[in-house]
Amino acid sequence: MIQKFLNIAQKLQWIAPLLTRLVLGTVFIESGWGKLQHIEKVVGYFESLQIPFASIQAPFVAGCELVFGILILIGLLTRLASVPLIGIMIVAILTAKLGEMEAFTDLFGFSEFLYILLFLYLIVYGPGAISIDRYLCQRFAKK
């Protein structure tokens, strides 16, 4: 019985990285696109957080979220695209969320922290079987 369960679980391993990429990609595409559509508000928000050079940082962050979100969604350069998004989430926690923390465990309730963990999962385990990264690796490994 246990072996049967393990066999089924192994056959379904492709689902976790695919769903992780689909969710993260969608979240960051929407976030980046939304920021670009309302860039003046984002610049004002960044200024309220005292982020230096807000008028440069806001479109840069929005563009990164959009472009790297697309890459993660399609599974292209997934590990590389995850790194700057982790950086953006760390900055978001340090600038926008730090004031909400009363205890270290409050960090666990932040969506930004969950995103960091999911990006780390993609960095360590890769984008999965259904990704452009996997296709390219298989294609070029044969040559």
Side-chain angles (χ1 to χ4, degrees), residues 2 7 10 21 24 32 41-42 46 50-51 53 64 74 78 86 91 93 100 107 115 119 126 129 141:
I2 292 174
N7 289 341
Q10 184 153 12
R21 284 192 2 262
L24 285 174
K41 290 181 182 180
V42 178
F46 279 27
Q50 299 179 338
I51 295 175
F53 307 107
C64 285
I74 65 174
T78 305
I86 287 174
V91 171
I93 290 169
E100 298 174 23
L107 183 65
Y115 296 147
F119 286 129

Side-chain angles (χ1 to χ4, degrees), residues 72-91:
I72 286 173
L73 180 76
I74 65 174
L76 178 62
L77 304 173
T78 305
R79 287 180 162 115
L80 184 63
S82 295
V83 174
L85 292 174
I86 287 174
I88 290 170
M89 292 301 95
I90 291 171
V91 171

Side-chain angles (χ1 to χ4, degrees), residues 11-67:
K11 289 179 182 175
L12 297 176
Q13 281 182 326
W14 59 273
I15 293 174
L18 175 64
L19 292 178
T20 301
R21 284 192 2 262
L22 292 177
V23 169
L24 285 174
T26 301
V27 165
F28 281 88
I29 290 168
E30 287 182 357
S31 176
W33 183 251
K35 283 180 175 81
L36 289 171
Q37 298 306 301
H38 305 283
I39 200 66
E40 302 83 20
K41 290 181 182 180
V42 178
V43 169
Y45 180 63
F46 279 27
E47 287 172 342
S48 76
L49 296 173
Q50 299 179 338
I51 295 175
F53 307 107
S55 61
I56 296 170
Q57 295 274 14
F60 176 74
V61 167
C64 285
E65 287 183 1
L66 178 63
V67 171

